[in-house]
Amino acid sequence: MFLDQDLRPNTEYRMRWADRVQKHLFNGGQLSAAKWTARFNSLASIVDSAIVAESARWGDAKTAVPLNRVNWLGATWKYKDDGSNQGTAWRAPAFNDTAWASGTAELGYGDGDETTVVGGGPVGARYATTYFRKTITVANANQITAATLHLRYDDTAVVYVNGTEVARTAGLPADPAFDFYASGVSNENAEADFAVQPSALVSGANTIAVEIHQRDPTSSDVSFDFSLNASRTSIPAPYFIAGSGVKNLRVRACDSGTESSSTTAPARPSAT
Ligand SMILES: [Ca+2]
Ligand SMILES: [Ca+2]
């Protein structure tokens, strides 16, 4: 009945178990991260087209502005890629980026894996900084208990949310100048996660601003992609009853997924 538990005292069993773990979880084994990623991507490619239908079915019904495939896959970013000095104003939500170009992630140049190829200046004299901006909408930010941003970058990056720095890769000082090269730091399509304090996010519009810095003027490539995942508390927001007069409420309690029978009770909205 408890085969694994009964066998654990056996030295040979434990060794066999360790061997299997080593074989399958490491060095390209069938349960290694690389193999799982390939397996997942293979399955994702099968349902790729279905996202269009799912978006039409769910996305359009949930937002005032209909969502489309771009919202679910590569996100669209505004970017400034002319080597200009944007100072610090560009990080703020109020900054007007309508004149900036826009494109779908991954953005960058030099690797051949970019969905949007941005300008980088002359070969051998690449600009130090490329700027990216995006506005996202967050509902009920006060319910968010944890958030993590995922970054793909080359060579270094700083991320600001609503004008405040929330992540910076190694090799960059705070507030790096527009002509600052991250000397000696080489990252090729590097991937990293950064925890974001939930308090950095507000209900409504949130501005994500990212600056990518080259390591030197001769570097051939820039990469940028980004995602943000947030977790919410399971405590629902209070439900307020509007209007006047007595309302009949029908309620059900739910404990660990088990619902009670419903009951009805009169309630009167409180005066406001
Ligand atoms: Ca580079
Ligand atoms: Ca790239």
Side-chain angles (χ1 to χ4, degrees), residues 137-198:
T137 302
V138 175
N140 300 317
N142 59 327
Q143 295 176 358
I144 294 176
T145 53
T148 303
L149 69 83
H150 184 79
L151 201 58
R152 170 179 282 195
Y153 63 99
D154 175 328
D155 286 286
T156 51
V158 191
V159 181
Y160 309 89
V161 173
N162 300 323
T164 300
E165 180 190 304
V166 297
R168 173 157 37 101
T169 65
L172 283 181
D175 298 321
F178 84 104
D179 55 357
F180 182 90
Y181 291 95
S183 302
V185 178
S186 178
N187 288 303
E188 303 299 324
N189 280 337
E191 310 265 349
D193 290 318
F194 297 86
V196 176
Q197 290 299 317

Side-chain angles (χ1 to χ4, degrees), residues 62-75:
K62 299 293 182 186
T63 59
V65 178
L67 301 177
N68 58 44
R69 191 171 181 278
V70 172
N71 295 103
W72 309 117
L73 298 176

Side-chain angles (χ1 to χ4, degrees), residues 106-107 109 111-114 152 154 189 222-224:
E106 178 183 327
L107 301 106
Y109 58 82
D111 292 334
D113 60 356
E114 305 86 10
R152 170 179 282 195
D154 175 328
N189 280 337
V222 152
S223 294
F224 169 64

Side-chain angles (χ1 to χ4, degrees), residues 30-49:
Q30 289 301 319
L31 298 177
S32 64
K35 283 287 170 65
W36 269 115
T37 300
R39 206 173 287 131
F40 181 83
N41 286 340
S42 171
L43 292 170
S45 69
I46 295 172
V47 301
D48 191 62
S49 299

Side-chain angles (χ1 to χ4, degrees), residues 49-60:
S49 299
I51 290 174
V52 177
E54 285 296 293
S55 178
R57 184 182 181 196
W58 299 109
D60 291 6

